[in-house]
Amino acid sequence: DAVQSTATGRLVKLCQLEPPLVDLSLVAGCCQQEIPDVEFYVDGEHVGGSGPSTRVVSCSAKCGAHTVQAMHPLVLPDGVSNSLRIVNADAVRGKLELSLNLFHFVCVAATPTTTATTATATGGGGGRNSSPSSAELFLVGGDLESWRSSPNAPRPDAEVWLWDGELWGCSGLPPIEVKAGVVDSDRLREFAQCQGRESTCLFSEYLKRLSSTYRPWKVVVHPSQ
C-alpha cells in the first residue's frame, strides 16, 4: 500500500503538480469590456497576446507575488501594470483596467507641413487665442510629455492645446463632455452601467462622432502613441 511504498527510505515520485493557471485580460475603464491587441508580461516575461476573437490570455505562474503588465498601442511605452498574488493551485483571474484618465484629446494647429483637410477641431488654450483656421485632433494615450518627444509627435514648434468638445457617437444617449482634453469618465461609466452592454466598448462607440464646443467644425480622431 501507500505506507509501505514510502517507508523504504527512498524518494518516491507520486505525481507532478502543474503550476496554477492565470487568465489575463485588459478591460476598458468605462464598461469593463475586454480589449484586443494587448501583449501581456508576467515579471517581465512575455506570456502571450490577445486578438479580436481571443481577448483573454492564459498562462502558468508559480505561487507567490508577481507583476503583470499589459502593453497596448495607445499606452506605450509604460503600458498598464498591476500586482498579482497566487496563494494556491486554483485558477486566478488577472484583470487589468485601462483607465480613461490615461487619455487626452489634443489639438495641433494646421501648418503648411500638415494636412489641414484631414481633421479639424478647436478648443481651449493657445489654439483659441490664435484662432487657427483648422487643426488636427489626436487621442493621446499615456504621458503627454512622452508623446511630445516621440517620433509620432508634431513638430517642436507646433501649436498644441487640449481640446474642448463633446462625444456624440452613441445613439440614444446624451453627449459626453470633454474638457481640457479629458473625457467625463464618471458619466461614461454611469451610462455603461445603465446600458448593460455586453460586447461593445461604450467609449469606442462615442468616438464615432465628435463635436467641437467653440466652432461647428467636423472632427476626425487620430489615435496616437
Side-chain angles (χ1 to χ4, degrees):
D1 57 17
V3 175
Q4 293 177 336
S5 65
T6 57
T8 60
R10 300 190 302 273
L11 293 177
V12 178
K13 181 178 179 179
L14 300 179
C15 63
Q16 181 161 338
L17 302 177
E18 296 294 332
L21 187 66
V22 181
D23 291 332
L24 301 175
S25 62
L26 180 67
V27 300
C30 59
C31 53
Q32 300 298 298
Q33 290 297 319
E34 294 160 347
I35 299 172
D37 303 320
V38 183
E39 298 298 326
F40 291 96
Y41 297 80
V42 176
D43 299 330
E45 181 180 351
H46 182 254
V47 295
S50 65
S53 58
T54 305
R55 302 190 179 189
V56 177
V57 172
S58 298
C59 66
S60 298
K62 298 179 180 179
C63 290
H66 301 276
T67 298
V68 180
Q69 186 178 35
M71 303 297 291
H72 187 272
L74 276 177
V75 286
L76 294 175
D78 299 323
V80 179
S81 300
N82 204 353
S83 58
L84 178 69
R85 178 172 291 276
I86 303 174
V87 297
N88 53 41
D90 295 336
V92 178
R93 183 70 185 272
K95 185 170 69 173
L96 294 86
E97 182 174 300
L98 183 59
S99 171
L100 295 183
N101 295 330
L102 296 173
F103 296 100
H104 292 83
F105 290 85
V106 182
C107 282
V108 180
T111 67
T113 58
T114 62
T115 304
T117 58
T118 303
T120 56
T122 186
R128 195 164 62 226
N129 293 333
S130 57
S131 299
S133 60
S134 63
E136 294 185 311
L137 179 63
F138 292 83
L139 176 60
V140 179
D143 182 66
L144 287 178
E145 291 298 325
S146 299
W147 172 68
R148 288 292 280 128
S149 60
S150 70
N152 298 326
R155 298 182 347 179
D157 60 346
E159 186 180 2
V160 179
W161 68 95
L162 296 173
W163 182 63
D164 292 335
E166 292 178 329
L167 311 182
W168 281 86
C170 203
S171 176
L173 289 177
I176 296 291
E177 184 181 26
V178 177
K179 190 172 183 179
V182 179
V183 66
D184 188 347
S185 57
D186 291 337
R187 192 161 177 79
L188 197 57
R189 278 193 294 269
E190 178 185 336
F191 289 165
Q193 292 173 357
C194 293
Q195 289 291 300
R197 306 177 76 87
E198 298 181 354
S199 60
T200 305
C201 174
L202 190 60
F203 185 50
S204 299
E205 289 293 312
Y206 263 107
L207 287 177
K208 292 179 179 179
R209 188 162 67 94
L210 299 87
S211 174
S212 293
T213 301
Y214 295 99
R215 292 187 185 178
W217 286 345
K218 295 180 179 179
V219 176
V220 176
V221 173
H222 299 280
S224 180
Q225 298 175 12

